[in-house]
Amino acid sequence: EAGVAQSPRYKIIEKRQSVAFWCNPISGHATLYWYQQILGQGPKLLIQFQNNGVVDDSQLPKDRFSAERLKGVDSTLKIQPAKLEDSAVYLCASSLGWAGTDTQYFGPGTRLTVL
Amino acid sequence: AQTVTQSQPEMSVQEAETVTLSCTYDTSENNYYLFWYKQPPSRQMILVIRQEAYKQQNATENRFSVNFQKAAKSFSLKISDSQLGDTAMYFCAFCSLGAGGTSYGKLTFGQGTILTVHP
């Protein structure tokens, strides 16, 4: 079974530039999550999709971050414009359902450096 | 809101020995799951073990076991017969199962503990 795929793996940009990350979840997984993991900290949930609807985006900085999940499969996370404090690893995860009983499978992450 | 605290930023252990990682959490809920996740260097995060709050019996997965103390809100991970491949960052995580709450199904992670296994 293929795992969660993410691209790119690394990205370096200047502040105020835009960047987009892509995630392909495990086939058949209805729920998709984007996390932000700042160096030395645990992941923080940014947004959670159930199929192509948003379940929770309470911690997404909506003035600069946006995310979409077209057709309930792949998802993109965009930052526009980026700030220095956005430097982090962005993790995508997926699960079969959306209850805590369903294991979340994580992708390798995209490491973003904002200069 | 739930919080998860891991008070040990770093731990080390000799190969084949036993190590225990600590985790405490704060919640007013009665129905939840607790997890330990492992994040090896430059590799993706994987689930190590999970515990349902309504179960009194501690979960075990091969060399990994937990000590779940619900009243004390404590959830420690014991790794027996440590192996070099256990070297990783370990995260404790909480998931609410309170129906209708905004945190339902949402994982809250601790800060992590870096575990190094020495040969």
Side-chain angles (χ1 to χ4, degrees), chain B residues 7 42 60:
Chain B
S7 58
S42 301
T60 62

Side-chain angles (χ1 to χ4, degrees), chain A residues 30-49:
Chain A
T31 309
L32 185 147
Y33 313 79
W34 282 103
Y35 291 88
Q36 180 191 59
Q37 186 177 15
I38 293 172
L39 186 65
Q41 297 181 20
K44 180 184 80 172
L45 180 69
L46 292 176
I47 189 167
Q48 177 180 342
F49 291 96

Side-chain angles (χ1 to χ4, degrees), chain A residues 37 42-43 56 100-101 103 106-107, chain B residues 33 39 44 50 91 95 106 110:
Chain A
Q37 186 177 15
D56 184 349
T101 51
T103 300
F106 285 80
Chain B
Y33 272 46
Q39 189 174 40
Q44 51 215 83
R50 85 170 77 203
F91 291 99
C95 183
K106 173 178 161 180

Side-chain angles (χ1 to χ4, degrees), chain A residues 11-29:
Chain A
K11 190 74 177 177
I12 300 174
I13 61 172
E14 300 278 338
K15 61 183 178 185
R16 291 187 289 275
Q17 285 187 325
S18 301
V19 65
F21 312 128
W22 173 82
C23 173
N24 179 238
I26 292 173
S27 177
H29 280 196

Side-chain angles (χ1 to χ4, degrees), chain B residues 1-2 25-34 51-56 68-73 94-99 101 103-104:
Chain B
Q2 291 82 17
Y25 59 95
D26 188 23
T27 183
S28 57
E29 299 189 17
N30 198 44
N31 194 17
Y32 51 87
Y33 272 46
L34 294 163
Q51 174 78 42
E52 297 92 329
Y54 65 87
K55 287 188 178 179
Q56 292 188 337
F68 173 48
Q69 301 290 326
K70 190 172 184 179
K73 295 180 182 174
F94 173 100
C95 183
S96 167
L97 296 180
S103 57
Y104 180 75

Side-chain angles (χ1 to χ4, degrees), chain B residues 3-18:
Chain B
T3 58
V4 178
T5 303
Q6 294 178 248
S7 58
Q8 306 153 313
E10 294 187 43
M11 294 279 286
S12 64
V13 65
Q14 292 297 124
E15 199 175 6
E17 293 188 344
T18 296

Side-chain angles (χ1 to χ4, degrees), chain B:
Chain B
Q2 291 82 17
T3 58
V4 178
T5 303
Q6 294 178 248
S7 58
Q8 306 153 313
E10 294 187 43
M11 294 279 286
S12 64
V13 65
Q14 292 297 124
E15 199 175 6
E17 293 188 344
T18 296
V19 64
T20 299
L21 308 184
S22 301
C23 172
T24 58
Y25 59 95
D26 188 23
T27 183
S28 57
E29 299 189 17
N30 198 44
N31 194 17
Y32 51 87
Y33 272 46
L34 294 163
F35 305 84
W36 279 98
Y37 277 87
K38 168 185 177 181
Q39 189 174 40
S42 301
R43 293 178 61 188
Q44 51 215 83
M45 187 149 15
I46 57 173
L47 178 66
V48 174
I49 198 165
R50 85 170 77 203
Q51 174 78 42
E52 297 92 329
Y54 65 87
K55 287 188 178 179
Q56 292 188 337
Q57 186 174 5
N58 289 323
T60 62
E61 285 288 342
N62 301 313
R63 297 182 296 107
F64 299 88
S65 62
V66 299
N67 183 3
F68 173 48
Q69 301 290 326
K70 190 172 184 179
K73 295 180 182 174
S74 170
F75 182 61
S76 61
L77 174 70
K78 185 172 85 170
I79 306 174
S80 304
D81 186 25
S82 296
Q83 301 176 359
L84 297 177
D86 295 333
T87 292
M89 174 85 92
Y90 286 81
F91 291 99
C92 178
F94 173 100
C95 183
S96 167
L97 296 180
T102 57
S103 57
Y104 180 75
K106 173 178 161 180
L107 280 177
T108 300
F109 286 86
Q111 309 93 313
T113 297
I114 299 173
L115 175 68
T116 304
V117 180
H118 297 286

